[in-house]
Amino acid sequence: MKILIIEDEQGLRDNIVSYLNEDGNICESCNDLAGAISKLASYTYDCVLLDIGLPDGEGFAVLNFLKKQMKDELVLIISARNSLDDKVKGLNTGADDYLTKPFHLAELKARVEAIFRRKAANSNNRLIFNEIVIDLLGRGVEINNEPIILTRKEYDMLLYFIANKGKVISKNAIAEHLWGDEMDMHDNFDFIYTHIKNLRKKLLDASANDYLKSVYGIGYKFSAV
């Protein structure tokens, strides 16, 4: 999953990022309300871990922003506030769960996985684009009813392209979505080209249509046109 951690306590924030990264999740983080709104306005996440007591405002504003923008990120509130009023307000404003500090990281992970499973159970668990079928739970891909083998990054990239089909996506947006804060470790976007080249080859070898188009000077577009 791609997870945004909104938490102003640096030690806890770093521990959460490190723990969730161990399972191959892509974790980004920020420590205030302004940073959270900025990231959510620009990018899409599978789950948001939200502290409601932020230095520049109430975390409830994040829930209101998500609702106003009609975004469907899962939200797990993590807060030292344990009053019934705060819990009810958070859940009624759109949070999927509420976890009171202090907590064990293992429980946090279990809560995240539980709300993700609930969301998946309410969908058909498949994303279909013409001859390409993606199993969202099993993380499998079939083309013309035949399975193909993709790396984790190739799978995530294909899912991202199909979810944004018809749109021109910049190299920076691709790097930010798939590598998160790790993208700062790279000097250029050559690593993106390599992954896209490999993904495109596998799709074509499996007799898929050539959907991946390079848009000169900008990025890429996944389209049947």
Side-chain angles (χ1 to χ4, degrees):
M1 285 180 282
K2 185 176 184 184
I3 303 172
L4 176 62
I5 297 101
I6 307 169
E7 166 62 56
D8 64 329
E9 185 182 334
Q10 182 176 350
L12 176 58
R13 187 174 66 248
D14 292 345
N15 285 340
I16 292 174
V17 168
S18 177
Y19 187 80
L20 294 180
N21 272 341
E22 291 178 358
D23 288 335
N25 297 299
I26 300 170
C27 296
E28 296 181 13
S29 64
C30 56
N31 61 3
D32 57 19
L33 180 59
I37 296 299
S38 176
K39 281 185 174 290
L40 289 166
S42 302
Y43 307 107
T44 298
Y45 300 88
D46 296 304
C47 184
V48 176
L49 305 183
L50 173 63
D51 183 7
I52 54 176
L54 298 172
D56 57 343
E58 288 283 283
F60 294 119
V62 169
L63 296 172
N64 291 326
F65 175 81
L66 292 173
K67 184 183 297 184
K68 183 178 180 181
Q69 298 298 315
M70 294 184 289
K71 294 172 68 70
D72 61 354
E73 278 86 347
L74 298 167
V75 179
L76 170 58
I77 291 176
I78 49 175
S79 176
R81 301 183 193 175
N82 61 0
S83 72
L84 178 60
D85 287 343
D86 282 323
K87 293 178 181 179
V88 170
K89 181 178 180 180
L91 295 171
N92 284 343
T93 309
D96 297 277
D97 200 356
Y98 194 112
L99 182 60
T100 303
K101 300 175 184 176
F103 50 77
H104 290 285
L105 292 175
E107 181 181 3
L108 174 69
K109 174 185 171 183
R111 296 281 191 109
V112 170
E113 291 176 344
I115 60 176
F116 185 74
R117 285 195 303 270
R118 288 200 297 269
K119 180 181 181 181
N122 291 328
S123 68
N124 62 12
N125 300 329
R126 297 202 309 167
L127 183 64
I128 301 174
F129 182 81
N130 296 341
E131 71 275 20
I132 303 174
V133 178
I134 300 179
D135 178 357
L136 298 175
L137 281 184
R139 292 180 65 85
V141 178
E142 291 185 354
I143 296 178
N144 296 316
N145 298 317
E146 293 293 331
I148 67 169
I149 298 175
L150 300 179
T151 67
R152 182 170 64 87
K153 286 299 184 188
E154 289 166 355
Y155 172 90
D156 292 339
M157 185 172 284
L158 177 61
L159 185 61
Y160 184 55
F161 275 125
I162 292 181
N164 292 278
K165 58 183 179 291
K167 300 178 182 177
V168 176
I169 306 174
S170 70
K171 295 176 184 177
N172 186 75
I174 296 171
E176 174 71 24
H177 182 81
L178 295 175
W179 280 267
D181 294 335
E182 294 179 11
M183 65 176 285
D184 295 334
M185 297 166 53
H186 299 275
D187 296 328
N188 54 53
F189 293 121
D190 289 347
F191 66 100
I192 293 178
Y193 170 76
T194 301
H195 283 282
I196 289 179
K197 181 181 69 174
N198 293 338
L199 172 61
R200 182 171 179 266
K201 183 179 186 303
K202 289 183 179 182
L203 295 178
L204 293 177
D205 287 348
S207 299
N209 290 308
D210 191 5
Y211 298 118
L212 267 170
K213 312 295 184 183
S214 175
V215 181
Y216 182 76
I218 302 177
Y220 297 88
K221 181 179 181 181
F222 194 92
S223 174
V225 179

